[in-house]
């Protein structure tokens, strides 16, 4: 029996190059942790072990935030300010990830800040959003509650899969590639020739 060729052999997990996986997160999760190690290694050459610790801190932050929300939610009179604060925190966390990707330094603290701030914003957003229909006076029947849970599960399962598939195919780089291509085409256009200076005025007779 012939030994399998190099193409048929499988590499150990430690030797496999990281890629953007199209995984489905845990219930109530988000697409950030599955792609965070691959993103950090691909952009900033961050070791997978370090980004794995950051991902664990993200889930730990969500767990701690849910416990805090359970203890303090009875004092909240309206969920709208909470959702606004959660959305602001998620936007701030995305700016941290953008800074990590765009700045040449690629500091690891930017990953930590982005992951922990996102965990703080995401922790109370889901339980708070579930209470919004009751705040608006909508009667929550078992069928409506089931529909809300199914819609949430479908969204949190489908979107990470689509984002992971897009990252694996490199679709995230197409806008930047098109921008560079347009700049290259613009640089090839002939520059306008400088206008000739006006002739000197004729002397008066």
């Amino acid at each position: 029996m012939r030994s399998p060729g190099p193409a048929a052999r499988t590499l150990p997990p430690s030797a496999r190059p990281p890629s953007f996986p199209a995984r489905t997160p845990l219930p109530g999760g988000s697409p950030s942790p599955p792609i965070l190690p691959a993103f950090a290694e691909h952009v900033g050459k961050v070791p997978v072990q370090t980004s794995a610790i950051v991902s664990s801190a993200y889930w730990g932050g969500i767990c701690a935030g849910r416990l805090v929300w359970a203890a303090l939610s009875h004092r909240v009179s309206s969920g709208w300010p909470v959702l606004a604060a959660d959305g602001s925190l998620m936007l701030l966390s995305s700016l941290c990830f953008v800074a990590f990707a765009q700045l040449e330094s690629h500091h690891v603290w930017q990953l930590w800040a982005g992951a922990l701030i996102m965990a703080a914003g995401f922790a109370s957003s889901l339980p708070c959003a579930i209470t919004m229909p009751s705040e608006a006076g909508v009667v929550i029947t078992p069928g409506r509650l089931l529909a809300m849970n199914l819609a949430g599960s479908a969204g949190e399962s489908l979107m990470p899969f689509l984002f992971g598939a897009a990252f694996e195919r490199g679709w995230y780089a197409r806008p930047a590639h098109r921008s560079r291509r347009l700049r290259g085409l613009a640089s090839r256009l002939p520059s306008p020739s400088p206008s000739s200076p006006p002739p000197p005025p004729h002397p008066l007779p």
Side-chain angles (χ1 to χ4, degrees):
M1 181 181 297
R2 293 188 304 172
S3 60
R9 297 172 187 159
T10 58
L11 296 175
S14 59
R16 296 176 188 171
S19 60
F20 291 98
R23 300 185 197 170
T24 300
L26 297 176
S30 75
S32 175
I35 65 175
L36 179 60
F39 166 76
E41 199 280 335
H42 179 77
V43 174
K45 306 302 180 183
V46 178
V48 178
Q49 294 82 355
T50 301
S51 53
I53 296 175
V54 177
S55 298
S56 300
Y58 169 84
W59 291 112
I62 287 184
C63 180
R66 295 274 168 90
L67 294 176
V68 172
W69 171 256
L72 301 179
S73 59
H74 66 282
R75 299 184 179 181
V76 178
S77 58
S78 176
W80 289 110
V82 178
L83 290 180
D86 292 338
S88 300
L89 289 175
M90 293 180 190
L91 179 60
L92 179 60
S93 68
S94 65
L95 295 179
C96 294
F97 290 121
V98 170
F100 175 81
Q102 296 298 325
L103 299 180
E104 296 181 358
S105 55
H106 302 304
H107 292 297
V108 180
W109 68 264
Q110 296 166 342
L111 288 179
W112 278 99
L116 294 179
I117 294 175
M118 180 177 289
F122 193 80
S124 60
S125 61
L126 179 62
C128 181
I130 293 178
T131 63
M132 296 305 295
S134 300
E135 182 178 339
V138 178
V139 179
I140 301 299
T141 62
R144 290 176 178 174
L145 182 60
L146 177 61
M148 291 172 57
N149 290 329
L150 288 177
S153 300
E156 69 186 14
S157 301
L158 181 61
M159 295 308 297
F161 173 78
L162 295 178
F163 276 106
F167 289 154
E168 286 180 347
R169 288 161 176 78
W171 293 349
Y172 60 92
R174 289 190 178 183
H177 175 71
R178 292 176 181 175
S179 177
R180 290 193 299 266
R181 185 176 180 182
L182 290 176
R183 289 197 300 267
L185 292 176
S187 63
R188 296 178 184 177
L189 294 177
S191 58
S193 58
S195 58
S196 58
H202 296 283
L204 295 175

